[in-house]
Amino acid sequence: MEPIKIILLLLAGYIVLTIDKKKKLFPGPPVLVLIGIGLSFIGYFASLHIGKEILYEIFLPSLLFISAYRFPPAALKKNAGMIGFLSTAGLLITALLLGTAIYYFANLFVSISFLGSLMIAAILTPTDPVSVISILKEASSDPRVSEIVEGESMINDGTSFVLFTVLTGMFARGESFSVLSFAKDFLFVSLGGIFLGLICGWIVSKAVHVTERKDYQVMLSIILSYGIFYAAELAGVSGVLATVSAGIMLSWEFTHTNKEDHYLESLDSFWGIIEPTIISLVFLMIGIEVTSHLAIDQWGIAFVIFAMSILIRFAVIHGTVLALPKERKLFGWRESSIISWAGIKGTMSVVLLLILDAAQTTRADMIISLTFTAVILSLIIQSSTIYPLSKVLIKK
């Protein structure tokens, strides 16, 4: 990308992210996407392209690390049951139910295999609540709703990526879906990434105190966020889960040291600038990129897929609430509805779509078009309505 174009995109991002100081009138990411769609029709910006390498290898490790190290260990411990189930077994159940529903519905109009339907479901399962967390925190006096949404999103990125990777491997090899083969690959890639991330996160949490220099400590966090990501990928395990696990371990370790505030203050001063910069570029580029992939003649099918993803997510979330005694006492259908609606599709879904697109197989064209359209519908509809919906359903 040309430097002047990057600066202009950052200027647009700055204007959007600062114009609504309380983040009530409109959440930034969907507005950035709409601006990006508009820019795609301007010749000067139409040539911009964000490949999977830039999004996956450069932007994603930072976003994953930021969300992981910032998430309070106390909140993770308090909501461990709900977050743990929704981001692992709950995600797999959601993907299976959604994939089955897509298969039977979509084949009334187009031809999609069951494995292809599962791939669409896998792409739609990761959530990106960056645009709604502040709204949820303000709408309710109980912080657990926003904690569950944020914690689930942090972990389900990794789970969904592993799920997608295993399914696309089967798809590329022309295999039919096999439960045994899927379970073996899924467990190896996910558990391997988690283990590697926890070990490296613990090592860095000890090594950071070798120096008192803040700039060197921040440098070490950069090495961790990207180093563990690439190391896991080279080892054949999940770089996404490794980065998230390393960030969580780092955060947990520093709750047990007297130097926690000093180090976290250093991290926040650096990563606090990086995050909005990346978010601005990513969502603007998503808007520019998505224009060529939208299923203009199949909006109806894409909208039904989007609607089914919300309904099935609600069923799994509310079923989890009813199954967990502690959550059943605290949450009802209102909270389940908000958590479901806050499960917006975003960065990770687009990463998965770009990876699939880079495979350059015409068999995936229908999957890419329908899913890209469903992702954009999610970003725009859910983000723009979460504030009034939360004010109605959640009482302070």
Side-chain angles (χ1 to χ4, degrees):
M1 291 195 293
E2 298 175 27
I4 185 61
K5 293 180 180 178
I6 296 176
I7 297 301
L8 291 174
L9 291 179
L10 285 176
L11 176 60
Y14 168 79
I15 293 172
V16 170
L17 294 178
T18 57
I19 196 170
D20 182 18
K21 295 181 179 180
K22 294 185 178 181
K23 302 294 183 283
K24 286 184 179 180
L25 300 177
F26 57 83
V31 176
L32 291 169
V33 169
L34 290 174
I35 292 175
I37 292 174
L39 292 176
S40 69
F41 294 99
I42 300 175
Y44 184 70
F45 293 99
S47 60
L48 284 177
H49 173 70
I50 184 168
K52 72 177 183 68
E53 294 82 8
I54 295 176
L55 194 54
Y56 182 64
E57 298 177 6
I58 298 177
F59 289 157
L60 190 61
S62 291
L63 294 176
L64 292 170
F65 180 75
I66 292 168
S67 65
Y69 95 79
R70 281 182 173 175
F71 194 73
L76 186 60
K77 181 179 180 180
K78 180 173 62 175
N79 303 291
M82 190 77 170
I83 291 175
F85 183 82
L86 290 181
S87 57
T88 54
L91 183 143
L92 296 177
I93 294 171
T94 300
L96 179 61
L97 293 176
L98 180 58
T100 303
I102 291 172
Y103 175 71
Y104 284 106
F105 168 75
N107 275 282
L108 296 174
F109 307 94
V110 294
S111 178
I112 297 181
S113 67
F114 182 64
L115 184 56
S117 300
L118 287 175
M119 287 169 59
I120 294 177
I123 295 170
L124 294 177
T125 49
T127 56
D128 190 356
V130 64
S131 60
V132 301
I133 287 299
S134 60
I135 292 174
L136 293 179
K137 288 179 179 178
E138 183 179 331
S140 173
S141 57
D142 184 357
R144 296 195 65 195
V145 171
S146 60
E147 289 171 353
I148 289 172
V149 170
E150 191 172 8
E152 178 207 1
S153 171
M154 177 180 63
I155 300 174
N156 76 13
D157 277 351
T159 311
S160 61
F161 189 86
V162 176
L163 173 62
F164 172 82
T165 302
V166 175
L167 291 175
T168 50
M170 294 180 178
F171 187 78
R173 295 189 296 268
E175 300 176 3
S176 57
F177 180 73
S178 166
V179 174
L180 185 60
S181 176
F182 167 79
K184 180 181 69 174
D185 292 344
F186 182 87
L187 289 174
F188 171 76
V189 174
S190 57
L191 294 180
I194 292 170
F195 176 77
L196 189 61
L198 292 176
I199 292 297
C200 291
W202 181 82
I203 292 173
V204 169
S205 72
K206 304 304 178 184
V208 74
H209 297 308
V210 171
T211 176
E212 294 295 321
R213 287 281 300 270
K214 292 184 178 182
D215 46 354
Y216 295 165
Q217 292 176 334
V218 170
M219 183 188 300
L220 191 57
S221 74
I222 299 172
I223 294 171
L224 175 63
S225 61
Y226 283 90
I228 189 61
F229 183 86
Y230 297 135
E233 292 292 307
L234 286 174
V237 296
S238 173
V240 176
L241 279 173
T243 306
V244 170
S245 300
I248 292 174
M249 173 57 74
L250 197 66
S251 177
W252 185 84
E253 276 293 320
F254 283 117
T255 60
H256 299 80
T257 69
N258 294 328
K259 298 181 180 181
E260 175 197 3
D261 291 338
H262 168 76
Y263 182 60
L264 293 184
E265 180 183 345
S266 304
L267 287 185
D268 287 340
S269 63
F270 173 76
W271 292 107
I273 298 172
I274 298 298
E275 184 181 31
T277 301
I278 293 178
I279 286 174
S280 297
L281 291 176
V282 165
F283 283 97
L284 283 166
M285 287 304 303
I286 286 175
I288 295 173
E289 186 73 29
V290 76
T291 308
S292 60
H293 295 288
L294 293 178
I296 303 300
D297 56 339
Q298 292 162 348
W299 274 89
I301 301 175
F303 182 84
V304 173
I305 290 175
F306 158 68
M308 289 192 299
S309 72
I310 298 295
L311 293 173
I312 291 174
R313 175 172 165 80
F314 171 79
V316 172
I317 288 174
H318 198 53
T320 304
V321 168
L322 295 177
L324 297 175
K326 185 171 69 172
E327 272 67 29
R328 189 165 61 244
K329 294 177 182 178
L330 297 171
F331 293 152
W333 69 268
R334 294 173 181 269
E335 288 77 12
S336 296
S337 299
I338 291 298
I339 295 172
S340 304
W341 198 253
I344 298 165
K345 322 308 173 192
T347 308
M348 181 55 75
S349 294
V350 174
V351 168
L352 300 181
L353 282 165
L354 291 178
I355 291 174
L356 186 58
D357 186 45
Q360 296 180 342
T361 170
T362 54
R363 292 190 301 141
D365 288 347
M366 179 66 69
I367 295 172
I368 293 170
S369 296
L370 285 175
T371 316
F372 247 126
T373 307
V375 168
I376 294 302
L377 287 170
S378 170
L379 258 173
I380 296 173
I381 296 175
Q382 288 175 258
S383 293
S384 60
T385 56
I386 188 68
Y387 179 71
L389 188 65
S390 62
K391 296 300 289 184
V392 170
L393 292 183
I394 300 181
K395 306 298 183 183
K396 286 193 176 183

